[in-house]
């Protein structure tokens, strides 16, 4: 497809490939889970059902992504270990951590009702994620020892143990209830019978970083290597590297772009209308509104098809500008809402399987370049939409898919417009399509005057200016849009 003059903005995207032989570990961690567990009345201080839900999510993650071969979790966190030689998403850190955060969240929301049939989710739960690089199996061992030590050290463990004992549980049983879960993936050939799905085993282990446990797991030995000695104390320099996270450049616009993973298949399975499904696009937009309401630092967002770009203000200090935290929190929250809101937009369609998204963060140093980025996305929307509209009209008129593709090869905008007019019998057919299809969706805050009722003592109602998140379908390439909204969407300098 044609290139636009805005494509240069792609040069601002930086590579973040994790070089071998580093072992990739992704840790997901509940976002504001103390509030979430409070709101959903989790049993204090440890809720067995909530832990079971976490374990179930981890099990599904291991089943879904064959390159993840081990995971360890407690409380609201889980660490996923990839096999050493993984080529998963070309080892790109941001892609990997975002899609694991998204998938984990989607499964969490989907499985919620199975674990808590008596409780509705009162709002969307979300998780943050980060990548931890382990330069050798020795470092991985230190990492696992550290996480398990954190688990043992946590007050929750002891408090809960004490509570259970107080309630009459024998100590051993109480301990077992609180023991952490470890998922280990075995190869198919561990089975006498060949099966297509790999087996995920959940074990409770006192010490996962011990040689005694690890070196007995043949699959782990093969993919990651053995532990040569037991660890007593994690080295300080290792701890520093586990905690290190890079920050995005100051005084730049941060754009988080999320994109549906394998949405080509997802839209086929769910029979989305071609080329544009109004309900599917409205669902995406509604999730974007939710994201803007949740994250105050987002000043503008633009969506098309299965992707959304969220622009954070230049001065944003969200998560100390740590890229992985920002990307994962936004993509996870979006995914959570996508699952929760599905029924509102598709009341008669079952969700057949769990969708998920990936995300990345890119910094743009000036408002002009940021606007060029947004223009690039809108030009892309136009080019794809015009092509797809022609393509599906040709298919509907009786051509095969490959004949339609060949027919459209090398055609220009004018040719496509003429073709559409000819096939539809309507002049200017393309420009009469709904603006949401042609222009994509812009979501931002608008100031509006609102009358609100004041205190009784103060008497009467008072006028107030309040901000409301709106969805518009407009041309964001033209400067006029930005000039007209300069007071509300502050994208200058
Ligand atoms: P990855 O993002 O690389 O995982 O691939 P993908 O399959 O998600 O494809 P990509 O993101 O490049 O493109 C999005 C795809 O989603 C489109 O090609 C369509 O197949 C599908 N899609 C998105 N919106 C709609 C819609 O409204 N209707 C239909 N029928 N399909 C849609
Ligand atoms: Mg996609």
């Amino acid at each position: 497809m044609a290139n636009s003059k805005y494509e240069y903005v792609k040069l601002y995207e930086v590579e973040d490939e994790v070089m071998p032989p580093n072992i990739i570990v992704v840790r997901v961690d509940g976002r504001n889970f103390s509030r979430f567990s409070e709101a959903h009345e989790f049993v204090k201080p440890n809720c067995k059902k909530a832990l079971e839900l976490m374990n179930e999510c981890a099990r599904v993650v291991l089943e879904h992504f064959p390159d993840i071969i081990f995971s360890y979790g407690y409380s609201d966190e889980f660490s996923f270990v990839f096999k050493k030689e993984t080529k998963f998403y070309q080892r790109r850190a941001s892609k990997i951590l975002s899609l694991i955060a998204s998938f984990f969240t989607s499964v969490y929301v989907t499985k919620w009702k199975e674990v808590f049939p008596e409780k509705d989710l009162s709002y969307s739960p979300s998780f943050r994620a980060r990548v931890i690089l382990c330069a050798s199996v020795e470092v991985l061992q230190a990492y696992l020892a550290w996480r398990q030590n954190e688990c043992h050290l946590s007050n929750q463990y002891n408090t809960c143990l004490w509570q259970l004992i107080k309630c009459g549980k024998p100590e051993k049983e109480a301990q077992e209830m609180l023991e952490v879960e470890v998922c280990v993936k075995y190869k198919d050939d561990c089975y006498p019978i060949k099966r297509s799905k790999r087996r995920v085993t959940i074990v409770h282990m006192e010490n996962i970083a011990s040689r005694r446990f690890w070196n007995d797991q043949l699959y782990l030995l093969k993919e990651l290597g053995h532990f040569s000695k037991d660890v007593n104390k994690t080295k300080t320099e290792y701890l520093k590297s586990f905690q290190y996270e890079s920050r995005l450049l100051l005084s730049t616009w941060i754009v988080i772009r999320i994109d549906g993973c394998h949405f080509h298949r997802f839209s086929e399975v769910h029979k989305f209308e071609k080329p544009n499904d109004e309900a599917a696009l409205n669902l995406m937009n509604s999730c974007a509104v939710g994201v803007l309401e949740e994250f105050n630092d987002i000043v503008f967002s633009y969506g098309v098809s299965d992707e959304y770009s969220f622009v954070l203000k230049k001065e944003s200090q969200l998560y100390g500008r740590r890229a992985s935290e920002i990307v994962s929190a936004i993509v996870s929250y979006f995914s959570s809402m996508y699952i929760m809101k599905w029924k509102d937009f598709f009341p008669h369609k079952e969700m057949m399987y769990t969708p998920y998204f990936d995300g990345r963060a890119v910094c743009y140093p000036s408002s002009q370049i940021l606007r060029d980025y947004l223009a690039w996305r809108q030009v892309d929307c136009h080019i794809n939409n015009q092509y797809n509209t022609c393509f599906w009209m040709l298919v509907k008129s009786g051509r095969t898919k490959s004949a339609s593709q060949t027919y459209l090869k090398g055609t220009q905008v004018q040719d496509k417009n003429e073709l559409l007019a000819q096939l539809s019998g309507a002049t200017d057919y393309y420009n009469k399509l709904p603006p949401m299809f042609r222009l994509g969706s812009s979501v931002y805050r608008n100031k509006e005057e609102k009358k609100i009722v004041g205190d009784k003592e103060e008497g009467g109602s008072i006028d107030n200016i309040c901000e409301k998140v709106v969805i518009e379908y407009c041309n964001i390439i033209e400067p006029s849009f930005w000039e007209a909204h300069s007071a509300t969407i502050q994208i200058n300098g």
Side-chain angles (χ1 to χ4, degrees), residues 184 233-234:
V184 188
K233 198 172 173 296
T234 309

Side-chain angles (χ1 to χ4, degrees), residues 320-331:
R321 296 179 80 87
R322 285 186 284 266
S324 51
E325 308 248 327
I326 306 174
V327 173
S328 56
I330 290 178
V331 80

Side-chain angles (χ1 to χ4, degrees), residues 28 88 102 137 145 153 201 256 276 302 306 320 395 398 421 433 449:
V28 295
F88 189 61
S102 170
V137 70
L153 286 178
T201 311
I256 308 297
N276 290 294
Y302 176 73
D306 66 339
V395 172
L433 287 174
E449 275 188 23

Side-chain angles (χ1 to χ4, degrees), residues 259-263 306:
D259 187 289
C261 287
H262 313 304
F263 259 51
D306 66 339

